Amino acid sequence: MRYGLIIFALILVSGCGSVRLDEKKYVDAVMSVSLRSGDSSMFRTRAQDSLLNNFPVYYDWWLQDGGAQDLFTLPLRKSLASRIKKVSEQLGVPMPDLSTKGDKELFSTYHKLCEKRRAKRLENMPDRIVFTKFRPFRPPVFAATESASDSRGERNFVGGGQMSILKMRGIWGHEQLLLQSDSGMVRDPDIDFDARKLLFAWKKGAGDDYHLYEMDLYTQAIKQISKGAGYADYEGRYLPDGGILFASTRAATSLGDIPTEVSNFFVCDRNGNYMRRIGFDQGHTISPSVLEDGRVMYTRSDHNDRGNIFASPLFVMNGDGTSQQAFFSMTDRFPTTLTHARQIPSTNRILTILTGYHSPQHGKLAIINPEGGRGGENGLMMVAPLREPNDTEKLPVDIYGQYGEQFQYPFPIDRESFLISYSPLGYNTGEPKFAIYWMNMEGERELLVSDRRYSCNQPVIIRSRTKPRLRASHIDYSKETGQYMIQNIYAGNSMVGVKRGSVKKLRIVELMFRNAGIGKQTVSGPGGSSQVTTPVGVAGTSWDVKRILGHVDVMPDGSAYFEAPARTPLYFQALDSLGHVIATMRSWSTLQPGESRGCVGCHESHNTTPLTASAIPQIAYRPIDSITPVPHLMPEKGFSYIENIQPILDRNCVRCHNGAGNTPNLLGTLTTKGEASKRRVSESYITLTHAQMRNKNKETLTGNEYHPDVNWIGSMTDPMPLKPYAAGSASSKLIRRLREGHGKLDKRQIETIAAWIDLGAPFAGSYTEANNWNTNEIRTWDYYSHKRHVAEDEDKRNVEAYINSLR
Amino acid sequence: MLGKYIHTIVIAISTLTLLSCRPVGVPSSIVSLTDGDNKVILSGDRQSGKVWQMNQQGWKTGSTFLCSSIIDIATNGKDRVWVLGSESDGQCRLYELSYPGMQTIQSLAVGRGAASVTYDKEDDRLWVACRDLKRLWEVDIMRWSVVGKLDMPREASSVAIRDSLLYVAGRLPEMVSGQKGAATSVCVFDKRRSALRKTINLPKGSVLTGDMVANGRYAYLTHVLSRYTVPAIRPEHGWIASSALSVIDMDSMKLIATVLLDSPARGAAGAGGMAVSPDGKELAIALSGINSVMVIDLDGLHARLKSYKTADGRPIHEDLGFLYGLRRRYPSGGRGTGTLLYLNEHTLLAGNLYSGNITVISDRPRRFRQVGRAITSTEQGRGEAYFSDATLSYQGWLSCASCHGADGRSDALTHIYPGDSIFGRFLTPSLAGVTYRSSQEGLKSGTLAYRAMREKQNRLKPSRRKGEPEVLPIEVTLEEMCFEAIRSHLFTEPQDGEAHALASYISSLEHPRSPYLKNGRLSARAEAGLSVYESLGCASCHNDEKPLIGLWKSAPYMHDGRMATLEEVINSRHGMKDAKLTATQKRDLKEYLLTL
């Protein structure tokens, strides 16, 4: 076959197949390596690796009962005695008399005790689980695992993988192979509510893309659900409404930091029909899981006007895509990234992996109780054993949690225990290799299944679940808008100290995302260090192209109620009477058509109710507002320095500021300085952003976001909430001079310049504007642009078909 | 003097024509007595009018039939049991029974609408709350007669006693539901002087109080905390209603704080009955809406109240994380968990009104005793159970009863609903007499009827093309309104049979007869008021479509609740054009309106 040998047959592997239990060989192997002191650490590593590979259960007992080191440092007899004592105590049985026993008998005694302990621990172990085998993803950034067949920037894919069922018979599991893909990869199993169907993603070989497939668990018949070359569809989850939600590159956008695909969420029915986009997000949204109340929890990379490294919080939304909102660590440096989150049954608690940004998806394991807080160490406990994070564990670093034991893909069984893909030795034996374990919150564990060739990943219990009662969906695809209602914009910690009545308007800005990554910059700041592709301006300015849709009114009591375009990523800026930004949203929000969304204020705690002391909001007495476009800010397109700002300078400034003498150069001449960015910028733009060749190899033109003349909220600022008037036009000396009459600019012209500063000083109003691309790069851009058009057309057709299906 | 006093009361009682007590399930109450070394459990049955006796193991040991329905039971814990019951005609009686034997020693008529009986050990009194006339009768047990009365806050039924003070919690606010903030309050009476000592105001939106218990220095009160000043566009985070516990310091007669029982993504609707553990360290709260029991660590609660700082400096009653680590939730193993009883420190019993069983609360609840028939065996009964069932709502935040009360009346608050392009403010209506709505001019776009019509239109002709105008159907049935109520008020997709059962229950609700009628007839003044009513032509608008029935209990007035009293409505000259009324006419008119 084209994609190599694919076998999907039912192969029953004998009881010892996946967890070898040849005690004699194991004892011989241990004795041959034990106490070979003087051997190099390389030897130890290899020995450990070999023992874990060949005798996973035995050696894992050895490790968990005393650690790895004493095999090489303590006499074997002493090591065994201490282990037997420990397990006897755990079981509450008397310590056996060891004095007359030989070493091999001691092993036997120890293993018998361990088996007893295993039986006790596995009392609540489910009968059947499904899991996958593949080499753990090693992506450039944690979320980029799409391996699209036409991808340029992602080289993660290594073919070869399997999907199996583990059936428990007593304390040992029996593996049943469901699907083997020798040159492809099988991932992301999900079980439907009746436990009859298995949804998964399968890429059959390097030239194929991940698509969704469904297997009937009784007949093992496989049905393909999604298709389309060049689009990766993965992480499919059954929704309570009968549909499927999945991550896909069908949005055809590219990351802002590395030139690779972004995945957003889509939904379709069980046959792949009416596939439509519900996530309109700048970065990745991955790792969805359905909560007991029907909501979907997921990881979203979220960095508008802030650094990307510490901005991958957990989000939550309703199954139909409405009410997308942050759940945990939206505005904290720690944890760096949260992913693989799953709800612990019948509780509010979430079991999740903590990892880094430029990291694989495995890392440390934690439990979140949102009642205790919504970020940082509040409401968070490290797991196995359950503990407060210590100072090292709390360190907000980019590559987080990649030391010591490694965890990935937790799947809670009940309040106390869970399945986990776990590597006790982590990077100590090279690239971490994972096996599936039963584990409890205290870290007691039993290895269930491992494989010599692959890591075992993504355990999912095969059991039927209660379908959550469906939240009423008020989505209406015949509408193009939804509604926002803000109770009181002055509430919340982003508006502390702002006088009531000082917010006059909200500026509504749309984010526009890049099709492909061309050219690069390096940028760093309090929010970490990163690369930027297809830059919008000099380094440190806006991540994305932005379009000002217009303004809506804010009532004197801080309430606002307005209609806004649905299926569009929007963010809001609170403006004072001069049109200066008081506070700006460093994220974005998306409505589904017909959705009615309510929030209290800016950054209110998600653990609070709406404000009760305040009176009925003033918007309750007036009709809904609609966005009033501001013609001179060109609402029809992205905000362009060339089109919006330079004409003002040309008319009012360049007569004096023409680059001659000591005056600042405000000419619109385009330069190719900072060549690697592949974006031309004008002399005046460099002047106003005070940009210099600032990084080590002098290839990136970096703006000075802190300059008193023109300052803005830089692209690598901290994720934490900023104080009102943190930066922007209100604190710009340039704007003050202009208001004092310098250059005789009119009000609109000053307002335009203020808006430009408050958008984060972007240069380009589209990703192609003033580019410096060669033929190849233009071809690349066109290829991905075409891909996006095709995807958008398909989405449009699918929405039409969906509307018709409801008739 | 006293004789005259009693005489007045007897007249008052004989003229009480209040809401007949609906049988709303069993067990209505559970109490326990100590019988030697054993405990005896008594449970009242609203359906059969029996008091069931059980031993500690849950074995039934006897039953006593008293009247058509048992409302409440009190006991001195040893040899006396007092049972408040009602007859089929709605007349209520207080029975004194001896234990053992369970023989009726004597009984006393207490009129209609009695809601609770509380035993006052200190003064050997019983306090009987009569909800609709806002009266608390003082019954002298020795003399077995009513010896006094207190004017209670509106619809009060929960009473807590400390020394000489009586704490009585009102159920509904007695004010306009407007900008200033409507809430009910707790009145503190000096019972020996029959004088009001203090009124403790609860936070804005506090309505529909459930139960009040005293534990040493503190009194705890469950109630709904309604967010009526916030548009009701989502239920999450208590945007419409939340479930609250108010903690009152009985030494200083002050409200310490009101804490929320809900979690950030999990409502705790229907907080009602409570019990304090024998060691005084735990407070158990029945959450009838979600069929659960919450147990709160009281030492932890009071320690946290002393030092707690809330998120963003907001008040404690806006913080859904306040009880983090201090509460445990248990499934109750029944439906409509309403009453609780600690048998000992380790055994907590829950009485489940709609499934008619008593269960033992632990991680896995076990059945203790079935004490009557589950009311869900009939369509109307199922509807009644759904009416208070918050598991029909998204995340268990609210049930129909969170605004309408378990009996379909009203929370006396105005809520804000989104219309097509503007919000509307509507007073929660009483559901008695609601049938169906027809499309008529002036039907506001935020109303449920309008939404139901729009949904019906969508169902008949789904997915209009863009720009195509909406044409509303002519009428919607009560079932269609219930269907829409689940969708837009409880925020979930209705499941089979729910709307039908709800409609069946709602259509069974009747307006109680006005207590302002004298022997079922109009008084002379009310007769005069009727003439004024007729001469003004009020009936030309207030016809069968817009009836004025139940005005005596439905304050505040007008569709948006902008007037607190009928005087205000009359003085506002609502609908009277140029007619001029004398003070007497106004008084007579009011007298008449109160009898409707």
Side-chain angles (χ1 to χ4, degrees):
Chain A
M1 277 161 79
R2 189 177 159 193
Y3 298 112
L5 186 64
I6 298 158
I7 307 164
F8 43 96
L10 190 152
I11 301 173
L12 267 175
V13 181
S14 76
C16 306
S18 43
V19 284
R20 287 170 60 90
L21 287 170
D22 191 332
E23 189 175 74
K24 188 176 169 300
K25 277 192 184 165
Y26 170 67
V27 173
D28 289 345
V30 170
M31 289 177 126
S32 74
V33 297
S34 161
L35 270 189
R36 280 179 56 177
S37 56
D39 279 315
S40 65
S41 60
M42 174 90 88
F43 168 77
R44 290 179 182 183
T45 305
R46 266 199 225 141
Q48 287 188 326
D49 198 24
S50 156
L51 286 170
L52 201 55
N53 245 326
N54 292 311
F55 310 98
V57 173
Y58 285 142
Y59 190 55
D60 187 65
W61 282 339
W62 184 269
L63 285 176
Q64 62 174 288
D65 286 332
Q69 294 306 313
D70 61 355
L71 181 62
F72 310 100
T73 52
L74 270 185
L76 199 55
R77 219 180 150 75
K78 217 170 166 184
S79 293
L80 273 165
S82 76
R83 282 175 167 75
I84 290 168
K85 183 162 178 266
K86 183 177 170 186
V87 184
S88 304
E89 279 169 9
Q90 282 175 350
L91 286 169
V93 296
M95 172 85 175
D97 178 16
L98 308 179
S99 56
T100 57
K101 288 181 178 163
D103 283 359
K104 290 195 178 176
E105 280 173 286
L106 287 193
F107 266 109
S108 175
T109 308
Y110 171 52
H111 289 158
K112 285 212 175 84
L113 284 169
C114 287
E115 281 187 23
K116 269 194 196 157
R117 182 177 63 182
R118 182 177 173 97
K120 210 170 156 189
R121 285 175 174 172
L122 295 187
E123 265 172 6
N124 67 343
M125 177 65 202
D127 296 340
R128 289 191 304 163
I129 64 171
V130 62
F131 65 100
T132 55
K133 298 182 190 176
F134 51 76
R135 174 182 176 252
F137 302 114
R138 313 225 70 78
V141 299
F142 77 97
T145 66
E146 294 91 346
S147 313
S149 56
D150 59 355
S151 178
R152 299 183 309 137
E154 205 246 0
R155 299 279 180 272
N156 175 55
F157 179 71
V158 177
Q162 292 177 348
M163 181 163 64
S164 293
I165 285 181
L166 185 73
K167 288 185 176 169
M168 294 305 292
R169 289 191 194 150
I171 59 172
W172 305 111
H174 296 252
E175 190 185 335
Q176 174 193 342
L177 182 67
L178 288 177
L179 183 63
Q180 170 134 1
S181 188
D182 282 349
S183 49
M185 196 144 128
V186 192
R187 58 182 288 194
D188 314 327
D190 191 47
I191 300 292
D192 76 347
F193 289 90
D194 303 333
R196 298 173 70 92
K197 297 280 166 71
L198 165 63
L199 183 67
F200 60 97
W202 189 6
K203 177 180 165 88
K204 296 178 177 175
D208 187 28
D209 288 290
Y210 285 112
H211 287 304
L212 301 178
Y213 293 81
E214 185 178 64
M215 181 188 278
D216 185 310
L217 281 171
Y218 292 88
T219 63
Q220 250 125 62
I222 292 176
K223 177 174 93 178
Q224 183 164 358
I225 291 177
S226 74
K227 27 177 108 67
Y231 297 124
D233 306 320
Y234 62 104
E235 294 187 334
R237 300 285 184 259
Y238 290 108
L239 290 174
D241 68 2
I244 290 170
L245 174 137
F246 59 100
S248 173
T249 61
R250 285 167 196 269
T253 56
S254 180
L255 265 187
D257 48 349
I258 53 162
T260 188
E261 284 70 22
V262 161
S263 292
N264 283 179
F265 286 135
F266 286 71
V267 289
C268 62
D269 76 2
R270 291 281 283 260
N271 298 312
N273 297 324
Y274 318 123
M275 194 176 278
R276 56 199 186 275
R277 188 174 171 189
I278 58 165
F280 296 79
D281 298 313
Q282 166 209 45
H284 279 87
T285 51
I286 60 154
S287 188
S289 71
V290 177
L291 306 182
E292 282 174 355
D293 58 19
R295 289 178 300 163
V296 178
M297 177 162 288
Y298 57 100
T299 305
R300 162 164 140 174
S301 279
D302 186 294
H303 50 278
N304 173 36
D305 295 339
R306 60 185 191 150
N308 51 347
I309 306 301
F310 301 105
S312 298
L314 286 179
F315 260 63
V316 75
M317 67 178 171
N318 295 325
D320 59 4
T322 55
S323 199
Q324 299 179 6
Q325 56 180 298
F327 178 81
F328 196 84
S329 193
M330 180 62 173
T331 53
D332 292 275
R333 288 168 70 90
F334 166 77
T336 310
T337 295
L338 299 100
T339 196
H340 300 177
R342 295 224 183 226
Q343 183 175 16
I344 297 173
S346 309
T347 72
N348 295 329
R349 301 194 286 276
I350 302 293
L351 202 55
T352 182
I353 296 296
L354 309 184
T355 184
Y357 184 74
H358 291 106
S359 303
Q361 293 186 0
H362 51 75
K364 298 299 171 189
L365 186 63
I367 195 169
I368 287 169
N369 189 333
E371 283 182 47
R374 293 303 183 115
E377 57 200 280
N378 299 321
L380 183 142
M381 295 278 273
M382 305 303 288
V383 171
L386 203 59
R387 63 196 187 274
E388 304 266 355
N390 62 31
D391 289 346
T392 318
E393 285 168 330
K394 279 190 294 207
L395 272 186
V397 290
D398 178 351
I399 300 170
Y400 178 87
Q402 302 300 306
Y403 47 84
E405 56 181 353
Q406 292 293 300
F407 300 83
Q408 57 175 3
Y409 306 109
F411 194 102
I413 300 171
D414 52 31
R415 281 164 188 247
E416 283 306 313
S417 55
F418 48 90
L419 301 170
I420 185 94
S421 172
Y422 173 68
S423 170
L425 299 172
Y427 288 94
N428 289 339
T429 54
E431 194 175 284
K433 191 156 165 295
F434 292 83
I436 309 278
Y437 285 75
W438 171 98
M439 195 177 277
N440 66 16
M441 296 297 169
E442 287 313 313
E444 294 177 341
R445 63 184 199 240
E446 288 296 332
L447 190 146
L448 299 172
V449 61
S450 69
D451 190 287
R452 282 172 194 234
R453 280 187 297 162
Y454 303 113
S455 269
C456 296
N457 320 298
Q458 304 181 313
V460 173
I461 299 173
I462 304 179
R463 70 175 164 208
S464 57
R465 291 170 284 163
T466 316
K467 233 182 214 186
R469 196 177 163 90
L470 263 191
R471 197 182 199 284
S473 180
H474 293 278
I475 292 185
D476 180 352
Y477 274 95
S478 67
K479 291 182 178 159
E480 284 172 351
T481 59
Q483 306 175 340
Y484 282 104
M485 193 226 102
I486 297 167
Q487 190 194 9
N488 181 352
I489 197 162
Y490 302 104
N493 53 17
S494 285
M495 296 292 278
V496 174
V498 177
K499 221 177 124 201
R500 300 265 147 155
S502 42
V503 181
K504 303 297 180 197
K505 306 249 181 221
L506 269 191
R507 175 184 288 151
I508 316 295
V509 187
E510 176 188 345
L511 289 178
M512 302 166 98
F513 305 136
R514 43 181 72 59
N515 300 0
I518 295 170
K520 61 177 184 191
Q521 289 171 342
T522 47
V523 59
S524 60
S529 298
S530 179
Q531 183 184 285
V532 182
T533 63
T534 328
V536 163
V538 294
T541 59
S542 173
W543 278 100
D544 302 297
V545 169
K546 290 165 177 167
R547 172 183 163 205
I548 299 175
L549 298 184
H551 297 153
V552 295
D553 289 341
V554 176
M555 301 282 98
D557 68 348
S559 62
Y561 178 42
F562 56 96
E563 208 153 347
R567 310 187 89 215
T568 310
L570 301 176
Y571 80 100
F572 311 134
Q573 300 191 310
L575 305 182
D576 64 15
S577 57
L578 292 170
H580 296 162
V581 159
I582 300 173
T584 183
M585 179 173 166
R586 292 148 74 219
S587 173
W588 61 93
S589 169
T590 312
L591 292 173
Q592 303 300 325
E595 178 180 357
S596 195
R597 186 82 179 273
C599 43
V600 177
C602 296
H603 282 298
E604 77 269 16
S605 159
H606 285 286
N607 280 359
T608 50
T609 64
L611 304 160
T612 38
S614 54
I616 294 164
Q618 287 166 336
I619 45 106
Y621 300 102
R622 57 172 256 167
I624 191 165
D625 203 358
S626 51
I627 298 172
T628 311
V630 186
H632 58 275
L633 298 177
M634 300 189 195
E636 66 286 353
K637 51 183 162 184
F639 192 98
S640 157
Y641 182 90
I642 294 179
E643 292 189 45
N644 290 64
I645 303 296
Q646 194 61 45
I648 299 173
L649 306 181
D650 288 346
R651 202 166 306 136
N652 302 60
C653 314
V654 298
R655 213 176 321 128
C656 307
H657 296 293
N658 52 15
N662 277 338
T663 60
N665 184 350
L666 292 181
L667 290 171
T669 328
L670 294 179
T671 83
T672 57
K673 276 184 207 165
E675 214 165 328
S677 76
K678 298 279 176 178
R679 172 90 57 214
R680 293 190 180 93
V681 289
S682 65
E683 290 291 353
S684 65
Y685 180 74
I686 294 173
T687 305
L688 291 181
T689 56
H690 301 89
Q692 287 173 12
M693 301 300 258
R694 219 172 268 155
N695 73 332
K696 259 188 272 168
N697 13 339
K698 300 258 177 193
E699 59 174 23
T700 296
L701 199 50
T702 303
N704 181 1
E705 69 206 56
Y706 305 109
H707 198 284
D709 266 353
V710 176
N711 61 79
W712 65 94
I713 295 167
S715 62
M716 290 309 280
T717 41
D718 242 336
M720 274 90 92
L722 298 173
K723 288 195 175 121
Y725 290 119
S729 57
S731 48
S732 160
K733 282 191 174 170
L734 171 68
I735 295 293
R736 201 202 303 165
R737 280 202 300 278
L738 297 178
R739 290 213 188 275
E740 283 163 3
H742 181 83
K744 291 183 184 144
L745 273 67
D746 66 25
K747 214 177 131 206
R748 280 186 179 181
Q749 290 171 323
I750 299 172
E751 192 189 311
T752 307
I753 295 174
W756 167 70
I757 296 172
D758 289 332
L759 290 183
F763 185 74
S766 81
Y767 288 98
T768 51
E769 190 178 29
N771 72 61
N772 188 26
W773 301 344
N774 62 31
T775 327
N776 272 343
E777 286 159 343
I778 291 171
R779 204 175 294 142
T780 304
W781 181 266
D782 288 347
Y783 174 82
Y784 288 104
S785 301
H786 175 70
K787 208 171 156 181
R788 182 187 284 191
H789 289 307
V790 171
E792 281 171 353
D793 283 350
E794 197 191 328
D795 186 75
K796 210 176 276 175
R797 277 198 307 276
N798 289 345
V799 166
E800 275 299 314
Y802 179 63
I803 294 174
N804 287 331
S805 78
L806 299 174
R807 278 175 193 276
Chain B
M1 176 68 196
L2 193 63
K4 193 179 166 191
Y5 196 40
I6 293 168
H7 182 67
T8 323
I9 293 164
V10 171
I11 291 173
I13 291 174
S14 64
T15 56
L16 286 180
T17 47
L18 299 181
L19 172 72
S20 61
C21 285
R22 294 182 54 83
V24 293
V26 287
S28 57
S29 56
I30 347 174
V31 296
S32 72
L33 296 108
T34 311
D35 184 5
D37 290 340
N38 297 317
K39 278 232 164 125
V40 177
I41 298 147
L42 300 178
S43 164
D45 187 336
R46 287 224 167 169
Q47 283 185 311
S48 69
K50 283 178 184 167
V51 176
W52 299 101
Q53 263 171 269
M54 284 153 274
N55 64 16
Q56 277 186 93
Q57 287 70 44
W59 293 106
K60 230 181 246 183
T61 53
S63 70
T64 311
F65 174 77
L66 285 174
C67 52
S68 83
S69 174
I70 306 294
I71 301 164
D72 198 10
I73 307 178
T75 168
N76 63 359
K78 297 193 299 272
D79 56 359
R80 283 289 181 278
V81 178
W82 298 281
V83 180
L84 187 60
S86 78
E87 294 299 343
S88 51
D89 62 358
Q91 293 291 347
C92 300
R93 280 194 96 71
L94 184 65
Y95 300 85
E96 187 175 43
L97 281 75
S98 61
Y99 187 88
M102 291 296 279
Q103 297 299 315
T104 306
I105 303 168
Q106 49 199 343
S107 74
L108 185 67
V110 289
R112 284 164 178 270
S116 71
V117 54
T118 308
Y119 172 59
D120 180 355
K121 194 173 152 189
E122 197 90 22
D123 290 333
D124 213 23
R125 292 281 194 273
L126 294 172
W127 298 92
V128 179
C130 282
R131 213 174 111 175
D132 288 345
L133 258 198
K134 309 207 290 188
R135 288 283 149 77
L136 190 66
W137 308 122
E138 180 181 3
V139 177
D140 184 325
I141 297 174
M142 290 298 287
R143 286 157 55 190
W144 196 247
S145 60
V146 174
V147 294
K149 62 158 190 176
L150 289 168
D151 287 330
M152 299 197 300
R154 191 170 173 195
E155 293 207 0
S157 68
S158 1
V159 177
I161 301 168
R162 179 168 163 88
D163 304 329
S164 64
L165 299 180
L166 272 181
Y167 285 71
V168 187
R171 209 164 152 272
L172 295 179
E174 293 177 89
M175 57 188 89
V176 167
S177 156
Q179 296 283 15
K180 273 164 88 184
T184 183
S185 50
V186 175
C187 291
V188 187
F189 295 99
D190 184 329
K191 63 187 182 188
R192 287 166 197 159
R193 295 199 186 115
S194 297
L196 178 68
R197 280 283 299 276
K198 197 169 176 197
T199 302
I200 303 170
N201 293 320
L202 298 177
K204 179 173 168 180
S206 299
V207 289
L208 300 174
T209 46
D211 192 10
M212 183 156 56
V213 295
N215 179 33
R217 184 178 159 184
Y218 303 105
Y220 306 96
L221 172 67
T222 49
H223 56 90
V224 171
L225 197 55
S226 176
R227 315 283 173 191
Y228 71 93
T229 54
V230 184
I233 56 174
R234 62 168 175 147
E236 294 99 323
H237 293 99
W239 265 57
I240 298 175
S242 49
S243 224
L245 178 76
S246 283
V247 183
I248 293 166
D249 182 345
M250 296 201 281
D251 278 358
S252 61
M253 289 187 273
K254 276 186 182 151
L255 175 73
I256 301 176
T258 296
V259 302
L260 295 181
L261 302 173
D262 320 83
S263 312
R266 222 168 153 212
M274 282 184 284
V276 178
S277 64
D279 61 6
K281 290 191 180 307
E282 282 185 348
L283 177 70
I285 303 171
L287 303 172
S288 67
I290 54 167
N291 306 321
S292 299
V293 173
M294 183 177 286
V295 177
I296 294 175
D297 164 10
L298 286 178
D299 290 345
L301 172 72
H302 287 285
R304 190 167 294 179
L305 281 171
K306 280 192 187 118
S307 62
Y308 192 71
K309 281 212 173 78
T310 55
D312 309 349
R314 305 260 298 267
I316 284 175
H317 64 262
E318 293 179 8
D319 187 346
L320 293 160
F322 179 83
L323 287 175
Y324 172 49
L326 298 178
R327 62 179 149 199
R328 303 188 306 276
R329 284 195 200 213
Y330 300 98
S332 66
R335 289 188 70 183
T337 312
T339 52
L340 296 172
L341 174 74
Y342 272 98
L343 265 191
N344 53 50
E345 254 119 69
H346 314 290
T347 318
L348 175 63
L349 297 184
N352 304 294
L353 288 173
Y354 302 135
S355 51
N357 58 350
I358 297 177
T359 45
V360 180
I361 299 304
S362 61
D363 282 327
R364 279 191 190 154
R366 70 197 149 77
R367 206 178 97 161
F368 185 77
R369 184 76 244 172
Q370 188 75 29
V371 284
R373 224 174 44 191
I375 68 157
T376 47
S377 57
T378 65
E379 184 72 353
Q380 186 185 318
R382 265 196 296 284
E384 186 166 351
Y386 285 146
F387 197 81
S388 297
D389 190 346
T391 65
L392 264 60
S393 77
Y394 186 64
Q395 294 179 340
W397 285 103
L398 71 167
S399 69
C400 308
S402 300
C403 296
H404 293 285
D407 52 5
R409 286 191 184 185
S410 165
D411 57 4
L413 292 178
T414 309
H415 295 263
I416 305 171
Y417 289 99
D420 285 344
S421 61
I422 188 164
F423 290 110
R425 291 181 61 224
F426 306 103
L427 185 69
T428 306
S430 166
L431 297 180
V434 169
T435 47
Y436 67 90
R437 286 300 294 259
S438 57
S439 181
Q440 49 186 259
E441 264 180 64
L443 186 58
K444 294 206 160 114
S445 76
T447 57
L448 189 67
Y450 179 88
R451 279 167 170 250
M453 283 177 193
R454 204 176 56 188
E455 278 305 308
K456 187 172 187 177
Q457 192 268 348
N458 283 345
R459 273 201 307 285
L460 297 174
K461 191 167 179 268
S463 290
R464 282 165 295 121
R465 292 189 184 282
K466 278 170 195 167
E468 199 178 312
E470 277 180 319
V471 183
L472 293 181
I474 291 168
E475 60 180 42
V476 283
T477 62
L478 184 56
E479 185 178 340
E480 284 166 336
M481 299 243 294
C482 290
F483 191 91
E484 188 52 32
I486 298 175
R487 275 179 57 82
S488 46
H489 290 179
L490 304 184
F491 294 85
T492 62
E493 290 295 343
Q495 292 177 2
D496 282 351
E498 287 168 355
H500 188 268
L502 276 172
S504 163
Y505 169 64
I506 290 168
S507 58
S508 79
L509 294 172
E510 284 168 12
H511 275 291
R513 271 165 58 191
S514 166
Y516 295 89
L517 287 168
K518 308 277 177 198
N519 296 325
R521 297 211 184 98
L522 296 184
S523 64
R525 259 192 204 163
E527 286 282 2
L530 173 61
S531 327
V532 178
Y533 182 84
E534 282 169 346
S535 67
L536 286 170
C538 302
S540 62
C541 293
H542 294 294
N543 48 24
D544 289 346
E545 289 270 322
K546 288 185 187 168
L548 289 177
I549 190 162
L551 275 184
W552 61 272
K553 64 171 176 56
S554 66
Y557 299 102
M558 316 307 282
H559 74 276
D560 58 359
R562 80 180 90 114
M563 295 182 196
T565 60
L566 281 174
E567 281 95 333
E568 272 183 66
V569 178
I570 294 167
N571 287 331
S572 77
R573 310 170 45 73
H574 162 74
M576 295 177 198
K577 290 189 185 133
D578 302 326
K580 286 192 178 130
L581 296 183
T582 64
T584 320
Q585 282 175 314
K586 284 180 182 172
R587 195 190 58 197
D588 293 346
L589 181 58
K590 181 193 158 196
E591 198 68 27
Y592 169 68
L593 292 174
L594 282 172
T595 63
L596 292 173

